Amino acid sequence: MHSPTSVLVTGGAGFIGSNFLLHMVPRHPDVHFVNLDALTYAGNLTNLTAIEDAANYHFVHGSVTDAELVADLFAEHAVSTVVHFAAESHVDRSIMAPLAFVETNTKGTVVLLEAARAAWDDRDAHPDRYRFFHVSTDEVFGSLGDDGFFSETTPYDPRSPYSASKAASDHFVRAYAHTYDLPVLISNCSNNYGPYQFPEKLIPLFIQNALHRRPVPVYGTGENVRDWLHVRDHCTAIARILEAGRVGETYCVSGNEERRNLDLIHLLLDLVDEALGREPGTSRALITFVKDRPGHDYRYAIDASKLRDELGWTPTYDLETGLRATVDWYLANQDWLDAVQDESYRDYYEQQYSHR
Ligand code: NAD
Ligand code: TYD
């Protein structure tokens, strides 16, 4: 059993990282949390206003690629635990500009591993004192056909620059466990949704476009399949794995909610209409089929029975309940959306969709 004393959370101003901190900081007043975030377009401190003054929370503006800064943080905060979220996370951006993904996702992970290796030099004598938790994705396993599931033993087969950079980081984490006995844990999870997700990803983008009666751009024919996990369920899974996961192991995390994109989009748009009191079908009329994403993975699906059987974790949100709450959250938080979509995001959006 691992009981963290001082947790370095990287990327804690992003979507999943901020939900994780909002979940953990008030529940663990005796644990110190340090949030290291570079505040890229995807990182927003407004996500964290509820905990910004908490005595056990400390924010540091900086990059996981900065080896000197990271080593200093380990020493200054006596870090016992790393929960590593920081990443470039959007597949479409990785297709436009892959090198940033290598830099943050791969190199940044190795910088953190190096700092942990140096700082935790008494780890052999204290097997439960330290943990390096690496948050990864099911996309490292490639793409499924109509049948089958990814599991912890599925061979890696990344197919986008994003998933290749995450796969490389997973390999480094495993290599540090094998070569240096670093006490690591890895999770590979499916598509998250919920509050504070940057509105370039499917669900918040489509809620926002539907609200403003803009076209909702469906890639290809909308046949691709994803498994959807509410971010709060993801956070409880991470907390559980951190506490009781077996060192060196990988755990796959799933929401058990597989949907064809078009089916998910119909449900989502119907919920938007319902929340806005619009005539049923109003938002479905905004569906616009656009050019497919290059190399678009067909299907992701996860068998999460290891996490259920070993650690007793299962998701609590069904998709419709989770989506309804998510639609309500975005409609009620238009100030947040205005704040996070600055000029550079609007330029990206133009570039992304103008040629389609
Ligand atoms: P996000 O893009 O919303 O947030 C990423 C955060 O990392 C931002 O706060 C950003 O400022 C920060 N960051 C970026 N580069 C940094 C750097 N060099 N140094 C420090 N901070 C930096 O991402 P997310 O959706 O919250 O994803 C978090 C993690 O979970 C990622 O590792 C991602 O690969 C993984 N993951 C995400 C999903 C998903 O559906 N969102 C699914 C599976 C796995
Ligand atoms: P996304 O949220 O980008 O996550 P990922 O690519 O990591 O799965 O996309 C989810 C699915 O929705 C994916 O199959 C691509 C598709 N998609 C669209 O059809 N239109 C869009 O505008 C976006 C952003 C995604």
Side-chain angles (χ1 to χ4, degrees):
M1 218 33 132
H2 172 63
S3 302
T5 51
S6 178
V7 186
L8 176 62
V9 174
T10 71
F15 165 46
I16 307 173
S18 61
N19 276 283
F20 181 74
L21 283 165
L22 292 170
H23 177 76
M24 296 294 280
V25 169
R27 284 176 178 76
H28 300 277
D30 299 335
V31 179
H32 181 63
F33 290 88
V34 180
N35 173 15
L36 172 62
D37 199 296
L39 299 181
T40 67
Y41 76 95
N44 295 287
L45 289 177
T46 48
N47 303 5
L48 296 162
T49 43
I51 55 161
E52 67 188 1
D53 295 325
N56 62 333
Y57 170 73
H58 183 76
F59 173 68
V60 178
H61 184 197
S63 173
V64 291
T65 58
D66 183 342
E68 204 178 314
L69 170 67
V70 171
D72 285 350
L73 290 177
F74 269 77
E76 188 186 335
H77 297 277
V79 171
S80 69
T81 313
V82 174
V83 184
H84 178 33
F85 294 100
E88 292 291 339
S89 68
H90 191 38
V91 173
D92 293 326
R93 284 183 191 255
S94 85
I95 294 168
M96 290 162 76
L99 274 176
F101 288 69
V102 179
E103 184 70 12
T104 291
N105 300 4
T106 310
K107 182 181 161 195
T109 301
V110 182
V111 167
L112 286 163
L113 289 164
E114 272 296 277
R117 175 165 87 91
W120 299 346
D121 55 357
D122 58 349
R123 58 189 176 276
D124 289 349
H126 302 284
D128 285 333
R129 184 173 288 178
Y130 307 111
R131 291 291 182 272
F132 189 108
F133 193 120
H134 179 59
V135 180
S136 192
T137 165
D138 60 359
E139 304 192 21
V140 298
F141 300 124
S143 179
L144 292 164
D146 285 320
D147 302 315
F149 295 90
F150 299 134
S151 78
E152 291 78 7
T153 55
T154 304
Y156 276 42
D157 182 23
R159 293 149 44 103
S160 74
Y162 164 66
S163 56
S165 68
K166 291 295 288 186
S169 68
D170 292 14
H171 289 317
F172 273 103
V173 174
R174 291 225 173 94
Y176 271 65
H178 187 74
T179 310
Y180 306 114
D181 282 329
L182 203 73
V184 309
L185 293 160
I186 299 178
S187 65
N188 295 93
C189 81
S190 54
N191 287 57
N192 284 218
Y193 69 99
Y196 302 113
Q197 184 167 35
F198 195 81
E200 64 187 351
K201 303 277 169 65
L202 180 98
I203 288 176
L205 176 68
F206 279 30
I207 296 171
Q208 205 52 11
N209 282 14
L211 170 66
H212 296 293
R213 298 179 191 267
R214 290 194 291 256
V216 298
V218 179
Y219 296 168
T221 55
E223 298 293 313
N224 307 64
V225 177
R226 297 291 183 264
D227 168 56
W228 294 95
L229 170 68
H230 193 280
V231 66
R232 293 201 182 115
D233 278 334
H234 187 198
C235 293
T236 62
I238 293 171
R240 181 69 189 134
I241 298 166
L242 194 56
E243 170 186 61
R246 282 185 292 136
V247 170
E249 293 288 315
T250 289
Y251 293 88
C252 284
V253 190
S254 155
N256 289 332
E257 290 282 17
E258 246 190 83
R259 292 291 188 285
R260 212 169 54 117
N261 282 351
L262 210 47
D263 295 333
L264 174 93
I265 289 161
H266 285 158
L267 172 60
L268 178 68
L269 296 177
D270 291 351
L271 290 170
V272 171
D273 287 346
E274 186 186 299
L276 293 173
R278 285 180 182 165
E279 200 60 34
T282 308
S283 295
R284 286 192 190 203
L286 299 167
I287 290 176
T288 309
F289 291 95
V290 298
K291 197 171 134 211
D292 208 355
R293 170 188 283 172
H296 196 173
D297 285 340
Y298 171 59
R299 174 170 168 259
Y300 305 141
I302 286 186
D303 170 359
S305 54
K306 177 175 171 182
L307 182 55
R308 183 194 63 216
D309 297 345
E310 272 189 26
L311 302 181
W313 181 91
T314 47
T316 62
Y317 281 86
D318 67 82
L319 185 64
E320 187 166 336
T321 309
L323 276 185
R324 185 172 272 115
T326 303
V327 166
D328 289 346
W329 189 88
Y330 284 94
L331 295 180
N333 284 277
Q334 291 294 305
D335 290 355
W336 180 85
L337 282 152
D338 290 342
V340 303
Q341 296 177 89
D342 64 6
E343 208 48 51
S344 63
Y345 174 65
R346 282 187 274 273
D347 288 350
Y348 161 80
Y349 190 85
E350 284 297 307
Q351 210 183 334
Q352 176 69 9
Y353 293 103
S354 58
H355 65 284
R356 288 175 185 275

